[in-house]
Amino acid sequence: MSVKQRQLVIAGNWKMHKTRPEARELAGAVRDALETERDLPAVVLCPSFTSLEPVLQVCVNSPLAVGAQNMDHRDSGAYTGEISPPMLLELGVKYVIIGHSERRQFFGETNATVNLKLKAAVRHGLIPIVCVGETVDERENHLTDAVVSRQTAAALDDLDAAQLSGLIVAYEPVWAIGTGKVCEAVEANRVAAVIRSTIGNLYANRDLAASIPVLYGGSVKASNIDEQLAQPELDGALVGGASLNAEEFVAIIRSAQKKVQPAAAKS
Ligand code: PGA
């Protein structure tokens, strides 16, 4: 499969921002800007749990999909404060972010819990966006490739190739998240290739690895997205802060849209 055949994805991770009315307004502004557009990348809005329902309502019959920022791996039970995959599915959620570095850093998530959540997403047909990435210390100690490979392999433990068909991976260097320090596009491209070769080696299947979209995340803005999208190994972005502003987020989506159109025109 050629690089251009992979789906481009622009996902907005709203983190712990926006009340329900604010979320409705932001989703509405993005929808209004894109409603009549064709040849868009996959656009995914990931609001907080409490705003999933209003955002889903705003996105009905629009090109926008909705994702959760996290979930538990179990279906139900005495797990106070948790949200299960069936609860998300029942709302109409299609995507779920798994293993974001803030979950790993502040909420005790490990490679093992990421693996359990990925298996749960696959079991329930949610499209997983699995986040991997090194800290600044790991980068300075030349551990980037080892860390990213280990996180990728651990996330995929016990999954067979057929279960990877909807998988999306996001390379998010921790030092680039929310800091304004964007990873150089050529370097992000190199690490995306490391992620793909890890998957290719694990399954002895380079075509499988070549079919999986790898996004870049970390201080993405309208002013730096073009460089990332110009890289052959990168297929879009997981956007935090810049996704909270409709104009900025739509500008990022339009940059990706420019990449979608030539492929669509050919078919
Ligand atoms: P940022 O966050 O764009 O604000 O750096 C990205 C993310 O955490 O997914």
Side-chain angles (χ1 to χ4, degrees):
M1 182 177 283
S2 85
V3 169
K4 296 297 161 208
Q5 285 174 286
R6 287 194 295 264
Q7 182 170 41
L8 279 170
V9 181
I10 302 292
N13 174 9
W14 294 1
K15 308 193 181 185
M16 198 171 71
H17 294 288
K18 305 288 176 190
T19 61
R20 283 162 62 98
E22 289 167 350
R24 202 178 283 120
E25 192 183 325
L26 175 56
V30 176
R31 180 204 56 200
D32 292 349
L34 301 175
E35 211 161 26
T36 57
E37 300 282 334
R38 302 181 58 179
D39 296 319
L40 285 167
V43 179
V44 188
L45 305 182
C46 302
S48 63
F49 286 127
T50 53
S51 291
L52 284 170
E53 191 167 36
V55 170
L56 278 155
Q57 282 165 359
V58 168
C59 295
V60 169
N61 295 329
S62 85
L64 310 180
V66 177
Q69 297 173 17
N70 177 38
M71 65 176 188
D72 195 81
H73 67 275
R74 293 158 291 215
D75 288 5
S76 63
Y79 303 106
T80 302
E82 291 301 297
I83 304 281
S84 73
M87 291 171 181
L88 297 177
L89 284 170
E90 193 244 331
L91 287 177
V93 168
K94 295 233 156 47
Y95 292 76
V96 61
I97 299 172
I98 293 176
H100 189 281
S101 66
E102 287 152 15
R103 303 287 325 162
R104 296 179 192 251
Q105 190 181 349
F106 303 124
F107 303 100
E109 294 206 16
T110 62
N111 285 340
T113 60
V114 170
N115 174 244
L116 288 170
K117 291 180 185 207
L118 176 55
K119 285 186 201 151
V122 168
R123 198 165 58 241
H124 288 283
L126 284 158
I127 301 173
I129 303 175
V130 174
C131 302
V132 298
E134 80 288 355
T135 63
V136 69
D137 281 356
E138 289 162 345
R139 174 158 286 267
E140 282 169 2
N141 287 298
H142 309 287
L143 293 170
T144 297
D145 295 10
V147 167
V148 166
S149 295
R150 189 164 61 236
Q151 289 177 339
T152 303
L156 298 177
D157 195 30
D158 269 346
L159 284 160
D160 62 38
Q163 293 173 306
L164 270 51
S165 64
L167 174 68
I168 298 168
V169 179
Y171 168 53
E172 296 211 309
V174 179
W175 50 269
I177 295 177
T179 59
K181 288 187 207 155
V182 66
C183 180
E184 276 193 30
V186 170
E187 173 61 7
N189 185 69
R190 190 192 68 76
V191 181
V194 169
I195 291 167
R196 284 217 174 81
S197 75
T198 302
I199 298 171
N201 292 340
L202 272 174
Y203 292 87
N205 187 340
R206 295 176 82 172
D207 287 350
L208 172 69
S211 73
I212 293 171
V214 178
L215 316 184
Y216 168 73
S219 298
V220 168
K221 295 189 183 63
S223 58
N224 59 37
I225 185 66
D226 284 335
E227 289 158 52
Q228 305 289 345
L229 291 174
Q231 302 299 319
E233 300 282 348
L234 294 173
D235 306 303
L238 179 53
V239 185
S243 72
L244 295 171
N245 177 299
E247 225 173 285
E248 181 81 11
F249 190 56
V250 167
I252 291 168
I253 295 162
R254 291 203 191 286
S255 285
Q257 187 184 22
K258 282 187 251 149
K259 301 265 152 193
V260 175
Q261 271 165 344
K266 265 188 245 151
S267 63

